[in-house]
Amino acid sequence: MAGDLQYDAAGMRSALTMLRDLIARLDEERGDLGGLDTVPAPGTAPATERFHQRYLDWVGEVSEEHAATREQAQRAVDALVAIDLEYNAGELANELGLRTHLHADAPGSGDR
């Protein structure tokens, strides 16, 4: 074991569960965001076209923020899974269904 870090199983379980659930919600919402940019302009008047362009810009910004949040959550999961591998042989990651984040040659990464 590296350093003086003590493994807190309850804290790790709570953090990984929250992050896993957040990622699942973000993945579900991604589908909802996907159709927003297909809404046609309601008319051809200049003001309507400007409004529609602002709407499309907003959809793009929301989609980018959504993707960035998803990426940050994934990086956090990856870091916590690495700690779990180091201090708990990946047992908690396996239990929570996060095996996809484990390296095939890591302890505890085998099928159960």
Side-chain angles (χ1 to χ4, degrees), residues 7-21:
Y7 186 86
D8 177 3
M12 184 69 80
R13 177 183 310 281
S14 176
L16 281 171
T17 299
M18 286 189 304
L19 287 166
R20 179 195 62 192
D21 295 347

Side-chain angles (χ1 to χ4, degrees), residues 20 23 26 40 54 62 68 75 77 87 91 93 96 101 103 107:
R20 179 195 62 192
I23 288 171
L26 288 169
R54 287 185 188 135
V62 169
R75 282 196 307 261
V77 166
Y87 291 89
E91 292 295 322
L96 295 175
H101 303 281
H103 301 291

Side-chain angles (χ1 to χ4, degrees), residues 27-84:
D27 288 347
E28 186 177 307
E29 290 170 359
R30 186 179 341 176
D32 296 338
L33 287 173
L36 291 178
D37 60 353
T38 62
V39 174
T44 57
T48 302
E49 289 178 351
R50 283 193 308 273
F51 168 80
H52 189 66
Q53 187 56 53
R54 287 185 188 135
Y55 166 77
L56 293 176
D57 293 344
W58 173 82
V59 169
E61 290 171 11
V62 169
S63 295
E64 288 173 12
E65 290 173 11
H66 186 274
T69 300
R70 171 65 168 79
E71 185 177 321
Q72 288 174 337
Q74 187 62 58
R75 282 196 307 261
V77 166
D78 293 344
L80 292 176
V81 166
I83 292 169
D84 186 52

